[in-house]
Amino acid sequence: MPQGQPLSVPDDGLSTRARRRQPVLAVHTGAGKGKSTAAFGMALRAWNAGLRVAVFQFVKSAKWKVGEESAFAALGRAHDEHGDGGAVEWHKMGSGWSWSRKQGAEADHAAAAAEGWAEISRRLAAEQHDFYVLDEFTYPLKWGWVDIDEVVATLTARPGSQHVVITGRDAPPALIDAADLVTEMVKVKHPMDAGRKGQKGIEW
Amino acid sequence: MPQGQPLSVPDDGLSTRARRRQPVLAVHTGAGKGKSTAAFGMALRAWNAGLRVAVFQFVKSAKWKVGEESAFAALGRAHDEHGDGGAVEWHKMGSGWSWSRKQGAEADHAAAAAEGWAEISRRLAAEQHDFYVLDEFTYPLKWGWVDIDEVVATLTARPGSQHVVITGRDAPPALIDAADLVTEMVKVKHPMDAGRKGQKGIEW
């Protein structure tokens, strides 16, 4: 696969090197499979480049756990013990975030989602990580739990070269407009349509 | 994200457990980003489930290397040294496969692609791995280097519960028909359209 050639070269006065360090805002949306999976695949690549990776999962249940979390825990240990790749943090909303005093104490998902975004916003301002995955973040946006205009303003103004990948169905148009890279995952065929069950190692 | 519910339950006499062990043939196609990345993300999940993962990259140049390869090498070491996850093998076509005597000796990509498929076919018959990624395998199919009918027949008849994920643009209709899970990655927006360069940790 050859590296892509730009269709045009912008007259922005930047060197090629400077352009290679520009931060990317990516959105994976659509009803097909692979939105989160591709985001974690990107995080793998980022980890290998030595970037500090942080995953924030806006999932409803703390019990819901994906295999990727364990795999990234192993990569995080490889970083801590052998200096391989970048550092890894993995946070799940569940019924409260790991950094929150309210952890496990409540089931107010709207408040938890807003708190998650507030923390991400603080970390972006502090340039705490290099590569952020905001998994299933389109849902709190869709449901109005987090204000889309504030999210777009914060992401657009984020300092440094922090990359952000947002996943979930029904990405708001304002988010798509702000993004550099948008892929829609379209379902062509899914085994559950034929009545098949999820497969261990495939679905979770 | 709730686990999907089947639209119908097939009258196939299988228990839920047996249905959960059915092998999956997945295809990631389309012109958008994320085809290979999502396949590697799936491999991450498979690794965590303890499945024996093997990646076969049908790429043209041996020099072309992705960050995922190094990350999976780290996961393979975590398996070998600590018993974490599953075993990992990673093979690139380049100008010859790692198992081949002809390695590096020739530039006959058609022969190398055919040899790669012959080896995969042998491994499927021997149930050597549990989870196969055939990365960019649609191209040798498209160019007629590997016979699509033979590939479909071999995949359809593969023994045990071996999962196979095939990536690349322009997946042949016969492959789509044979697949259980097909996702088309559609490009909505790409930074290179705006003249931006590939980003380290994002594009490679």
Side-chain angles (χ1 to χ4, degrees):
Chain A
M1 198 72 170
Q3 283 195 31
Q5 287 294 323
L7 298 177
S8 63
V9 175
D11 184 23
D12 55 11
L14 291 175
S15 65
T16 295
R17 179 171 178 169
R19 248 184 249 117
R20 286 212 188 278
R21 288 166 172 272
Q22 285 183 287
V24 170
L25 172 60
V27 174
H28 296 172
T29 192
K33 291 267 298 178
K35 295 184 289 293
S36 299
T37 310
F40 297 140
M42 289 175 76
L44 203 58
R45 192 174 288 183
W47 174 85
N48 184 65
L51 304 188
R52 296 165 299 172
V53 171
V55 176
F56 301 85
Q57 291 195 290
F58 287 79
V59 292
K60 278 168 267 176
S61 166
K63 289 174 202 157
W64 195 77
K65 191 179 154 124
V66 294
E68 287 94 336
E69 182 179 358
S70 308
F72 273 98
L75 292 172
R77 282 193 301 275
H79 173 76
D80 298 341
E81 293 169 14
H82 306 293
D84 294 348
V88 177
E89 287 192 25
W90 194 288
H91 301 285
K92 280 195 300 281
M93 190 170 84
S95 52
W97 296 93
S98 46
W99 61 72
S100 170
R101 290 183 190 175
K102 289 177 286 184
Q103 193 184 354
E106 52 161 325
D108 184 344
H109 300 312
E115 187 190 333
W117 166 250
E119 176 69 18
I120 290 163
S121 189
R122 281 189 291 271
R123 292 180 181 217
L124 286 167
E127 299 186 47
Q128 193 163 337
H129 311 286
D130 303 304
F131 189 97
Y132 299 71
V133 177
L134 277 51
D135 189 38
E136 306 201 24
F137 186 53
T138 58
Y139 302 103
L141 291 173
K142 182 180 175 177
W143 298 325
W145 294 351
V146 177
D147 182 60
I148 177 66
D149 294 333
E150 195 216 308
V151 166
V152 167
T154 301
L155 289 173
T156 305
R158 72 193 188 280
S161 62
Q162 303 174 92
H163 304 298
V164 179
V165 185
I166 294 174
T167 78
R169 295 185 185 206
D170 305 323
L175 183 62
I176 303 232
D177 287 347
D180 305 298
L181 171 63
V182 180
T183 303
E184 183 183 356
M185 274 65 172
V186 176
K187 183 179 86 164
V188 177
K189 198 193 253 187
H190 195 287
M192 285 177 188
D193 296 344
R196 290 179 57 167
K197 304 291 287 182
Q199 308 288 311
K200 180 171 164 67
I202 297 285
E203 300 287 340
W204 72 91
Chain B
M1 195 76 167
Q3 284 195 30
Q5 287 294 322
L7 298 178
S8 62
V9 175
D11 184 21
D12 55 10
L14 293 174
S15 66
T16 296
R17 178 169 178 171
R19 247 184 250 116
R20 285 211 190 278
R21 288 166 172 271
Q22 286 183 286
V24 170
L25 173 61
V27 174
H28 296 172
T29 192
K33 292 267 297 176
K35 295 184 289 294
S36 299
T37 311
F40 298 139
M42 288 175 77
L44 203 58
R45 192 174 288 182
W47 174 85
N48 185 64
L51 303 188
R52 295 165 300 172
V53 172
V55 175
F56 301 85
Q57 291 195 289
F58 287 79
V59 293
K60 278 169 268 175
S61 167
K63 290 174 199 155
W64 196 76
K65 190 178 156 127
V66 294
E68 286 93 336
E69 182 180 356
S70 309
F72 273 98
L75 292 172
R77 283 193 300 275
H79 172 78
D80 297 340
E81 293 169 13
H82 306 293
D84 293 349
V88 177
E89 287 193 23
W90 193 290
H91 301 286
K92 279 195 300 284
M93 189 171 84
S95 52
W97 296 93
S98 47
W99 60 74
S100 170
R101 291 183 190 175
K102 288 177 286 187
Q103 193 182 357
E106 54 161 324
D108 184 345
H109 300 312
E115 187 190 333
W117 167 249
E119 176 69 18
I120 291 163
S121 189
R122 280 189 291 271
R123 292 179 181 217
L124 285 166
E127 298 187 46
Q128 194 162 337
H129 310 287
D130 303 305
F131 189 97
Y132 298 71
V133 177
L134 277 51
D135 189 37
E136 306 201 23
F137 186 53
T138 57
Y139 302 103
L141 290 173
K142 182 180 175 178
W143 298 325
W145 294 351
V146 177
D147 182 61
I148 177 67
D149 294 332
E150 195 216 306
V151 166
V152 166
T154 302
L155 289 172
T156 305
R158 71 192 189 281
S161 62
Q162 303 174 91
H163 304 297
V164 179
V165 185
I166 294 174
T167 77
R169 296 186 187 205
D170 306 322
L175 183 63
I176 302 225
D177 287 347
D180 306 299
L181 172 64
V182 180
T183 303
E184 183 183 357
M185 275 63 174
V186 177
K187 183 179 86 164
V188 176
K189 197 192 254 188
H190 194 286
M192 285 177 190
D193 296 344
R196 290 179 58 168
K197 304 291 287 182
Q199 308 288 311
K200 181 172 163 69
I202 296 285
E203 300 287 340
W204 72 91

